């Protein structure tokens, strides 16, 4: 490499580094403003239901974001290459006497490169996060508007369904209360009958005879039904 041992080569590298750093500084300021304006414009249009203008503006900002991202990445790559050449120069035999001063200067340029790289990735990450969030919110809002515009016919059906559901619920509750009331009355009557039976033995004996007759009649009726069923089956199969 021609002139690698001369101070002219080093000064040329420093000049290139400073020029790239200045360009990066301006680009990063514009890049940050773009991301801020993107967020602000989105916030200002949240209440706007119009689709044409927001889509156009967003598309323009997205293209600017992609273009500026590529340009900044290219500048960072060039500055990295210059820093690598400066590091190579500090290791050359001719620069050994000035190595401490050269390394200090090189470290300053490396720190600047690191700061710019960090700032770029942070701003880019924030922009992408905002865009993803706003795209999601926009999709949700669009679904809501679609539902509202198409649900006018269904509102009447939903209202009728809710009224019918409430009517059936009231019937079920009334039936439940009636059954509970009748059950309570039967328990009360049964309790009074038991009390009378215990208090008057004659009534108790009468109730027992009635129960026995009912069970006997049930057995006789069951036997008659069974015999009739058997006879019908025999008749059906012959």
């Amino acid at each position: 490499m021609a002139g690698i041992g001369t101070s002219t080569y080093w000064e040329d590298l420093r000049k290139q580094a400073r020029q790239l750093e200045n360009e990066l500084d301006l680009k990063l300021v514009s890049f940050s403003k773009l991301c801020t304006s993107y967020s602000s414009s989105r916030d200002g249009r949240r209440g706007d239901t119009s689709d044409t203008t927001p889509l156009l503006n967003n598309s323009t900002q997205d293209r600017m974001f992609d273009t500026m991202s590529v340009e900044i990445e290219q500048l960072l790559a060039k500055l990295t290459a210059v820093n690598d050449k400066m590091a190579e120069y500090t290791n050359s035999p001719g620069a050994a006497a000035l190595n401490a001063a050269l390394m200090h200067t090189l470290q300053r340029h490396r720190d600047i490169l690191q700061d710019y790289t960090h700032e770029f990735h942070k701003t880019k990450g924030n922009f992408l996060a905002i865009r993803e969030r706003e795209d999601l919110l926009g999709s949700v809002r669009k679904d809501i508007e679609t539902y509202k515009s198409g649900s006018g016919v269904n509102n009447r059906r939903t209202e009728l369904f809710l009224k019918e559901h409430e009517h059936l619920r009231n019937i079920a509750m009334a039936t439940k209360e009636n059954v509970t009331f009748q059950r309570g009355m039967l328990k009360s009557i049964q309790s009074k009958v038991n009390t009378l039976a215990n208090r008057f033995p004659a009534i108790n004996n009468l109730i027992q005879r009635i129960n026995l007759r009912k069970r006997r009649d049930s057995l006789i009726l069951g036997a008659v039904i069974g015999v009739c069923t058997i006879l019908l089956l025999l008749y059906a199969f012959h």
Side-chain angles (χ1 to χ4, degrees):
M1 184 179 296
I4 195 170
T6 65
S7 60
T8 304
Y9 177 73
W10 174 258
E11 290 301 325
D12 184 58
L13 291 176
R14 288 192 61 189
K15 182 179 178 181
Q16 294 180 36
R18 286 194 297 268
Q19 182 179 353
L20 290 170
E21 289 166 356
N22 290 335
E23 292 182 23
L24 276 168
D25 186 65
L26 294 175
K27 287 287 185 181
L28 288 172
V29 171
S30 300
F31 191 62
S32 179
K33 289 181 179 179
L34 172 66
C35 296
T36 303
S37 64
Y38 184 88
S39 176
S40 300
S41 62
R42 285 278 189 149
D43 293 337
R45 290 195 298 266
R46 282 183 180 176
D48 188 4
T49 57
S50 176
D51 292 335
T52 305
T53 302
L55 286 176
L56 178 61
N57 290 341
N58 293 342
S59 177
T60 302
Q61 288 179 316
D62 288 339
R63 287 197 299 269
M64 292 177 62
F65 169 80
D66 293 336
T67 300
M68 293 187 68
S69 295
V70 173
E71 292 175 351
I72 293 174
E73 288 173 350
Q74 292 175 348
L75 290 173
L76 289 173
K78 291 179 180 179
L79 184 57
T80 300
V82 172
N83 282 351
D84 290 342
K85 292 179 180 179
M86 293 173 70
E88 180 183 354
Y89 178 82
T90 59
N91 294 324
S92 63
L98 303 174
N99 192 54
L102 297 180
M103 288 300 298
H104 177 73
T105 303
L106 174 60
Q107 187 60 45
R108 283 199 301 113
H109 288 290
R110 283 177 171 174
D111 291 339
I112 294 173
L113 173 61
Q114 183 177 0
D115 291 341
Y116 285 162
T117 302
H118 176 74
E119 182 180 351
F120 167 67
H121 288 300
K122 181 181 179 180
T123 305
K124 183 179 180 180
N126 291 339
F127 181 93
L128 294 176
I130 293 172
R131 185 168 66 180
E132 182 178 359
R133 182 193 66 190
E134 294 299 333
D135 287 344
L136 179 60
L137 291 176
S139 177
V140 172
R141 286 194 295 268
K142 184 178 179 181
D143 292 341
I144 293 174
E145 292 299 327
T146 302
Y147 172 78
K148 287 181 178 180
S149 62
S151 62
V153 178
N154 296 327
N155 286 339
R156 179 60 180 171
R157 296 179 182 175
T158 303
E159 183 179 355
L160 293 175
F161 172 77
L162 292 176
K163 288 183 178 179
E164 183 67 20
H165 178 269
E166 185 66 19
H167 178 65
L168 293 175
R169 180 176 176 273
N170 292 335
I171 293 176
M173 292 297 295
T175 303
K176 180 181 178 181
E177 293 176 357
N178 187 28
V179 170
T180 302
F181 175 75
Q182 292 181 4
R183 185 181 299 169
M185 289 187 60
L186 291 175
K187 287 184 178 180
S188 178
I189 294 172
Q190 183 66 34
S191 177
K192 292 180 180 179
V193 170
N194 291 335
T195 301
L196 291 174
N198 293 330
R199 189 173 296 180
F200 301 100
I203 296 178
N204 188 20
N205 293 332
L206 177 62
I207 293 174
Q208 289 181 356
R209 286 197 298 270
I210 292 174
N211 291 334
L212 289 173
R213 180 173 295 178
K214 287 174 62 179
R215 285 196 292 269
R216 184 186 63 186
D217 292 342
S218 298
L219 291 174
I220 293 172
L221 180 61
V224 172
I225 293 174
V227 172
C228 292
T229 302
I230 293 173
L231 291 176
L232 289 174
L233 293 174
L234 290 175
Y235 177 78
F237 286 102
H238 284 82

